[in-house]
Amino acid sequence: MSDDSVLQKLVESLCARGEITAEDVLQLRGQIFPDGVVSSDEADAVFRLDQTCYAKAPEWTRFYVDALTDYFVWQSDPRGYVDEAQAARLIDEIERDGRIDQASELELLINIVHWCTKCP
């Protein structure tokens, strides 16, 4: 079974359950970070989990911020620069429900702005 299908099955299971435990966060870290690259599909999975799961362990926020900061800041070309398209995607995902309503979303925005050399 490919790593993508393992991650996809994990995400589907968590979304169906509606809850992310500390153990789930460890599994997610193991699936997303081993190659040192957070892909677009992996970033989509993280956003989906954040939007779908109503109960999240405290460890979730750090994982959410780490994974998505890595994707938007460190995987960009050039590194450290968030372009207009990336910024639009980030805002679209965070404001999907019309507002920034979770501490994880606000912390993500602050972290990205902190680490970026330039962002719109």
Side-chain angles (χ1 to χ4, degrees):
M1 190 181 306
S2 76
D3 288 339
D4 288 344
S5 64
V6 171
L7 177 61
Q8 186 176 14
K9 285 184 181 214
L10 177 58
V11 170
E12 293 301 325
S13 170
L14 296 175
C15 287
R17 194 172 75 208
E19 177 183 16
I20 301 171
T21 66
E23 294 79 23
D24 297 327
V25 172
L26 285 174
Q27 282 187 293
L28 288 163
R29 280 192 180 278
Q31 288 298 311
I32 291 178
F33 284 116
D35 62 358
V37 175
V38 177
S39 71
S40 182
D41 288 343
E42 291 167 338
D44 288 343
V46 172
F47 279 124
R48 181 173 175 219
L49 287 166
D50 195 58
Q51 294 158 1
T52 304
C53 296
Y54 59 88
K56 301 173 194 100
E59 294 83 357
W60 169 256
T61 298
R62 182 78 270 140
F63 169 74
Y64 175 84
V65 171
D66 288 349
L68 294 173
T69 299
D70 188 71
Y71 175 73
F72 283 100
V73 176
W74 307 120
Q75 300 302 321
S76 62
D77 188 26
R79 285 176 59 117
Y81 289 79
V82 174
D83 64 25
E84 295 287 338
Q86 291 170 307
R89 177 180 181 199
L90 176 62
I91 296 303
D92 286 348
E93 291 289 349
I94 288 176
E95 288 190 331
R96 186 171 298 270
D97 59 356
R99 62 187 180 182
I100 297 173
D101 61 352
Q102 298 179 43
S104 57
E105 293 172 340
L106 182 58
E107 190 172 334
L108 173 62
L109 288 175
I110 291 168
N111 203 53
I112 287 174
V113 169
H114 171 77
W115 288 109
C116 272
T117 301
K118 182 177 183 218
C119 63

